[in-house]
């Protein structure tokens, strides 16, 4: 079976709640690959809702001692009177 697509890790988004890098799946859910998977050299991101999977392109050396990415806070809401 072949991968649905090949995606660069830079194109994926860190999801702190799932503790995984994610990418939109055509089924409406998200492909997911954890930091631990990346440390172990895994390159397959799976969708938990369907049978599709992605090949994730990344440099394994970048994740050998990686910690969770810092969550970048969005802009603060502004009260309007």
């Amino acid at each position: 079976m072949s991968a649905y697509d090949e995606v660069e890790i830079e194109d994926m988004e860190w999801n702190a709640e799932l503790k995984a890098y994610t990418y939109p799946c055509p089924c409406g859910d998200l492909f997911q690959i954890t930091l631990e998977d990346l440390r172990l050299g895994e390159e397959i991101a799976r969708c938990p809702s369907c049978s599709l999977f992605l090949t994730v392109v990344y440099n394994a050396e970048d994740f050998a001692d990686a910690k969770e990415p810092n969550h970048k806070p969005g802009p603060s809401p502004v009260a309007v009177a």
Side-chain angles (χ1 to χ4, degrees):
M1 183 176 236
S2 63
Y4 166 72
D5 202 356
E6 190 173 276
V7 176
E8 301 274 339
I9 192 74
E10 293 85 8
D11 295 329
M12 298 182 81
E13 198 170 299
W14 175 253
N15 183 312
E17 185 178 317
L18 296 173
K19 296 190 181 287
Y21 283 92
T22 62
Y23 191 80
C25 181
C27 79
D29 205 345
L30 296 169
F31 292 105
Q32 302 173 20
I33 189 166
T34 66
L35 195 54
E36 185 62 26
D37 290 339
L38 294 169
R39 284 186 194 122
L40 295 173
E42 180 64 59
E43 58 183 28
I44 301 298
R46 301 183 189 285
C47 176
S49 296
C50 72
S51 62
L52 296 178
F53 63 93
L54 293 175
T55 299
V56 180
V57 179
Y58 69 101
N59 182 348
E61 292 174 4
D62 293 344
F63 291 91
D65 296 321
K67 297 188 184 343
E68 271 188 30
N70 293 332
H71 175 66
K72 297 177 187 169
S76 300
V78 176
V80 178

